[in-house]
Amino acid sequence: MVLQHQEGIKLFRNSLPYINAHRGKTFVLMFGGEAIEHDNFANIIHDIALLASLGVRLVLVHGARPQIDERVALRAIESRFANGVRVTDKPTLECVKDAAGSVRSQIEALLTMGLPNSPMHGAQIRVCTGNLVVAKPMGVRDGIDFENTGMVRRIDTTGINDHLNDGSIVLLSPMGYSATGEVFNLSHEDVATQAAIALEADKIIVFSNYDGVYNQDGKLLRTIERPLLEEMIASGQINTEKTVLRALTTSVAAGIPRAHCVSYEKDGALLQELFTRDGTGSLVLEHHYEQLRPATIDDVGGILNLIKPLEESGALVKRSRERLESEIDQFIVIVRDGMIIGCAALYLYPEDNCAELACVATHADYRGKNRGERILEAVKNRALENQISTLFVLTTLTAHWFLEQGFVPADIRVLPGAKKELYNFQRNSKVFTLALG
């Protein structure tokens, strides 16, 4: 029991960086009618309420295909599909409106529930919906008139943001309305992706009956770049619902930074994906992200490979593996897909209230995009944490870059005594300093 308690505390503490990172961000959550019928959907609603309480701006987009199919069957209406798209005639449209309205009411009721001893107690969540999706007819394609089947024409971003700014959750149904007063049956995938794109959402999270995106060998792809995913889809190497895959790839291709795929059957999948390091589903990105972090002993080989060309050119002083291993705690690195593409070291001289910035390096293939500036910012923060007020650097070839970062020329006399004794007059390095604080 004590162990479980400690694990719970550890999990809560480890989630704090993610709580801070997600607060104030806009997430679009997409789930089909199958998810709504699953026994775990009530738990998903509880997790959505938790996200709202943590300050996440939420737009929920639901589907209703199985609910529509049920009503079509009950009314003995012939279902017609073309290329997987429902042809929505007038009788079918009534089924669509009935099903969408019923599902919407069900979701609103679950988000309103506040019974004592339930996860929703005291939540007081406001759910807003309305004519926030403007639609247009799909028209006639390959000789088939899709009638009241439509496509998203425009998302009312002003209206949605007004509701989000008021602290409400916005709920969008798979229906849209036209300027001529018509109602259109829409794909919830189309609504979700277009809403995410129009709102410039930080994430789109798509619920699937899979744990995430699987390849044909049954391997869960934890993180995958969008171009590679599209190649794998085209060659039949992916086993996940087509609507889910289209939503993931369309959103990322249009500029959404992160698209997640999680299971609607697994309790807590949404929270585990958002608040733990490893997650539980799949993350789709345009390109793999880079991680800036303190170096570890396992990074020694990568740092040596990175700085070797700069040592050979004379830009950096040569470091042996032994020295690097003993000083690894002073290093900060940028890692991209397991490869170290940037580094810097900080050597403290607390008795002189200063610190040396050293071994600043960026891989030749990854220069630009402010990577050097990111490393410098991390070094400055580490120095400030150690109550250091001045940085100094010795350089032979990169003086202009340090000047651009706010460093100023200085005489070797400003160096701390221990460093001054080691100054190499043959290298004749220039000295620059930067005041912190």
Side-chain angles (χ1 to χ4, degrees), residues 52 66 68 86-87 106 163 166 170 183 218 220 227 229 321 336 349 359 391:
I68 295 170
R86 189 189 300 275
V87 177
Q106 179 185 350
H163 292 312
D166 287 340
V170 174
V183 181
L220 176 62
L229 177 58
R321 175 178 286 271
R336 180 183 176 90
Y349 295 85
C359 201
L391 280 183

Side-chain angles (χ1 to χ4, degrees), residues 275-415:
F275 295 102
T276 64
R277 183 184 61 190
D278 297 328
T280 184
S282 295
L283 171 62
V284 180
L285 306 155
E286 186 64 24
H287 298 291
H288 278 305
Y289 56 87
E290 298 170 0
Q291 182 185 16
L292 189 152
R293 59 168 174 77
T296 69
I297 195 67
D298 294 331
D299 298 322
V300 170
I303 294 174
L304 286 172
N305 290 334
L306 173 66
I307 65 178
K308 184 179 178 180
L310 296 170
E311 291 175 345
E312 292 174 346
S313 70
L316 293 178
V317 176
K318 289 189 177 181
R319 284 172 169 78
S320 66
R321 175 178 286 271
E322 291 74 21
R323 178 186 173 188
L324 189 55
E325 287 177 352
S326 66
E327 297 177 348
I328 195 64
D329 291 341
Q330 275 70 51
F331 277 77
I332 292 172
V333 294
I334 294 180
V335 183
R336 180 183 176 90
D337 295 344
M339 183 177 77
I340 294 175
I341 63 169
C343 74
L346 180 71
Y347 299 96
L348 302 177
Y349 295 85
E351 64 276 7
D352 296 290
N353 195 22
C354 65
E356 180 186 10
L357 169 63
C359 201
V360 181
T362 305
H363 194 285
D365 293 341
Y366 296 98
R367 286 174 187 157
K369 296 191 176 179
N370 298 318
R371 291 185 177 93
E373 288 81 354
R374 288 176 59 202
I375 293 176
L376 176 59
E377 190 64 27
V379 168
K380 288 162 61 177
N381 289 336
R382 179 181 283 191
L384 288 170
E385 289 171 1
N386 286 276
Q387 299 180 330
I388 297 297
S389 63
T390 305
L391 280 183
F392 69 88
V393 64
L394 305 178
T395 183
T396 56
L397 302 179
T398 55
H400 281 189
W401 186 83
F402 288 105
L403 288 170
E404 290 170 359
Q405 308 311 313
F407 284 77
V408 295
D411 190 273
I412 61 171
R413 288 176 293 182
V414 305
L415 299 178

Side-chain angles (χ1 to χ4, degrees), residues 186-208:
L186 307 178
S187 159
H188 76 293
E189 164 209 334
D190 188 27
V191 176
T193 54
Q194 294 306 313
I197 294 166
L199 292 166
E200 298 181 351
D202 299 281
K203 292 181 186 289
I204 181 170
I205 302 167
V206 184
F207 287 87
S208 166

Side-chain angles (χ1 to χ4, degrees), residues 211-256:
D211 286 342
V213 178
Y214 282 85
N215 65 14
Q216 59 185 0
D217 297 324
K219 179 184 177 182
L220 176 62
L221 305 177
R222 291 290 189 182
T223 305
I224 185 169
E225 293 184 352
R226 192 266 313 167
L228 176 58
L229 177 58
E230 290 185 341
E231 289 178 13
M232 296 179 71
I233 293 170
S235 58
Q237 299 180 54
I238 298 296
N239 293 326
T240 301
E241 305 103 301
K242 291 181 179 179
T243 55
V244 168
L245 295 173
R246 284 196 301 265
L248 296 171
T249 55
T250 301
S251 300
V252 173
I256 303 303

Side-chain angles (χ1 to χ4, degrees), residues 157-175:
T157 55
T158 301
I160 291 174
N161 278 315
D162 285 345
H163 292 312
L164 294 176
N165 292 338
D166 287 340
S168 300
I169 290 177
V170 174
L171 178 61
L172 302 180
S173 296
M175 293 195 306

Side-chain angles (χ1 to χ4, degrees), residues 12-66:
F12 189 70
R13 286 172 176 164
N14 290 341
S15 68
L16 182 58
Y18 301 99
I19 293 173
N20 292 330
H22 297 331
R23 185 180 295 114
K25 299 298 175 62
T26 301
F27 295 175
V28 174
L29 276 59
M30 166 185 149
F31 43 85
E34 297 82 4
I36 297 163
E37 292 186 340
H38 196 273
D39 293 340
N40 189 52
F41 188 66
N43 293 324
I44 293 174
I45 290 293
H46 297 158
D47 294 344
I48 288 171
L50 176 58
L51 290 181
S53 71
L54 293 174
V56 181
R57 295 154 54 92
L58 296 171
V59 178
L60 313 183
V61 182
H62 72 83
R65 174 168 283 199

